Amino acid sequence: MRPSESAEARIIRLLRMRPDGHVSGERISRTLGMSRAAVWKHIGALRKAGYEIKAVPSKGYMLGETALEALARFNAAEISAGLTAKTIGREIFFYPELTSTNQKAMELGRLGEKEGSVVIAERQSAGKGRLGRKWESPSGVNLYTSIILRPKIPTFEAQKLTLMLAAAVAETVAEFSPVRPEVKWPNDILINSKKAAGILTEMDAEPDRVNFIVAGIGVNVNMTAADTPPFLRPIATSIRQVRGEDISRAVFAQRLYSNVEKWYDVFLKDGFEPVVAGWKRFFSSEGKAVKVTVFNRVIEGLCMGIDKGGALLVRTPSGAVERIISGDVETAGSSHLRGLSPFKG
Ligand code: BT5
């Protein structure tokens, strides 16, 4: 038994271990340490959720599904089945539709929901990007999730978590994508220079300390070009589009929660420096010409990397190094900057 699995998740796993045979109700009840009545209740809930579970008298239960059906399944029990993270994803709030998973997680956080609980929606009617922008959230193909974190940190440290999350998301995408993802400072995940994932961190805070953080993560997993709104096609991609086949969103979510938990622990125990190092493995803008929009100001120059605090360093033509803590970056490859040659560093 794994610590974070729900009873239904454990039943699914048990039935999948015997794809051609039956598992007796008695064995399920013994393995899971629950009554036969409880097993029956959970089997009923799984059937309601769309699992075809046959019951043969005196033999037991058998799960009827093809590998493809198993791969397509995406619900709380599937994610919980085999989840290795201890805290993150232990409690899953799963919805067919929400306006925004971040909004729901903020509500739950204010009601005292514990650290590590996650919200997932199959689709969002008003998915949020940063600065009032929108996150396009077509149904049934991607991952839209928000994680509640309760780090005991001062408010000014909260931005570090965005970089921590970007390291975890990039690492997870790299596990599934044949093309290595890149991070665009601070929090975009690109594959082949197109956006595959975005992160929106929101917080509930006192003037000096964080009450809780909502880490909103949107990953384009199985979205095809046809699923993508036309205006987004030139700038967005998905894991499916580079891999050529669907992956299990449940398995992706399990890996994501594990990686977020791993990097969050590193941040809490060892501080920000190792997190920055983890993030930098996916960062390729250093030494390149960049154009950064900071509110109404545009800063152009050579990217010198990021400093210990996670701020972007840009050397302008005057030779001064600007330290940027928030803004939108474009690199020399993007259309705006064609023709702009890197300044001599
Ligand atoms: C982000 O904003 O990249 C943060 C996105 C966070 C989304 C997640 S989903 C779960 C959670 N719940 C929420 O409501 N939000 C979070 P930003 O850097 O501002 O980028 C937004 C821009 O990305 C848009 O203006 C589009 O240009 C582009 N975009 C929108 N939807 C996209 C998609 N599905 N894939 C790629 N690019 C997209």
Side-chain angles (χ1 to χ4, degrees), residues 99-103 124 126-131 133-138 142-146 187-188 195-200 202 215-220 223 231-232 235-237 328:
T99 48
S100 148
T101 56
N102 264 32
Q103 192 184 326
Q124 301 183 112
K128 293 192 282 182
R130 294 177 304 143
L131 308 167
R133 290 187 288 245
K134 225 188 135 199
W135 187 253
E136 299 298 327
S137 310
N142 291 336
L143 177 62
Y144 315 113
T145 186
S146 299
N187 64 348
D188 285 353
K195 190 153 164 172
I199 297 161
L200 174 66
E202 295 186 273
I217 302 168
V219 185
N220 299 334
M223 182 170 86
F231 76 92
L232 213 56
I235 56 165
T237 189
D328 278 307

Side-chain angles (χ1 to χ4, degrees), residues 159-234:
Q159 207 187 336
K160 295 181 176 173
L161 284 179
T162 300
L163 233 61
M164 180 283 281
L165 291 161
V169 175
E171 195 167 279
T172 313
V173 171
E175 289 178 23
F176 295 86
S177 165
V179 180
R180 191 168 168 81
E182 287 178 29
V183 287
K184 195 180 94 169
W185 185 88
N187 64 348
D188 285 353
I189 312 298
L190 312 180
I191 307 178
N192 290 336
S193 305
K194 289 178 162 190
K195 190 153 164 172
I199 297 161
L200 174 66
T201 321
E202 295 186 273
M203 70 174 159
D204 184 283
E206 304 296 327
D208 55 345
R209 74 183 170 83
V210 169
N211 288 333
F212 66 89
I213 297 226
V214 162
I217 302 168
V219 185
N220 299 334
V221 181
N222 292 331
M223 182 170 86
T224 60
D227 302 319
T228 312
F231 76 92
L232 213 56
R233 285 178 200 159

Side-chain angles (χ1 to χ4, degrees), residues 255-311:
R255 293 300 308 141
L256 177 68
Y257 297 146
S258 283
N259 286 331
V260 171
E261 184 164 291
K262 179 182 80 182
W263 284 107
Y264 185 50
D265 284 349
V266 167
F267 174 69
L268 295 180
K269 287 197 193 102
D270 305 322
F272 195 46
E273 252 185 73
V275 173
V276 171
W279 182 90
K280 273 188 170 167
R281 289 184 300 143
F282 297 98
F283 184 57
S284 62
S285 302
E286 201 164 328
K288 291 189 183 153
V290 290
K291 176 173 162 181
V292 192
T293 309
V294 184
F295 299 107
N296 297 328
R297 211 171 129 229
V298 174
I299 300 164
E300 289 192 52
L302 188 71
C303 176
M304 308 297 289
I306 61 170
D307 71 5
K308 278 186 181 166

Side-chain angles (χ1 to χ4, degrees), residues 25-66:
E26 204 259 313
R27 179 153 166 240
I28 299 176
S29 114
R30 220 176 342 109
T31 314
L32 271 57
M34 62 172 66
S35 69
R36 293 287 292 275
V39 170
W40 177 247
K41 195 189 91 196
H42 289 303
I43 296 267
L46 285 169
R47 283 184 175 140
K48 242 179 147 174
Y51 291 85
E52 191 203 332
I53 301 173
K54 296 179 201 128
V56 181
S58 80
K59 278 187 147 183
Y61 298 104
M62 187 176 150
L63 185 61
E65 68 177 1
T66 62

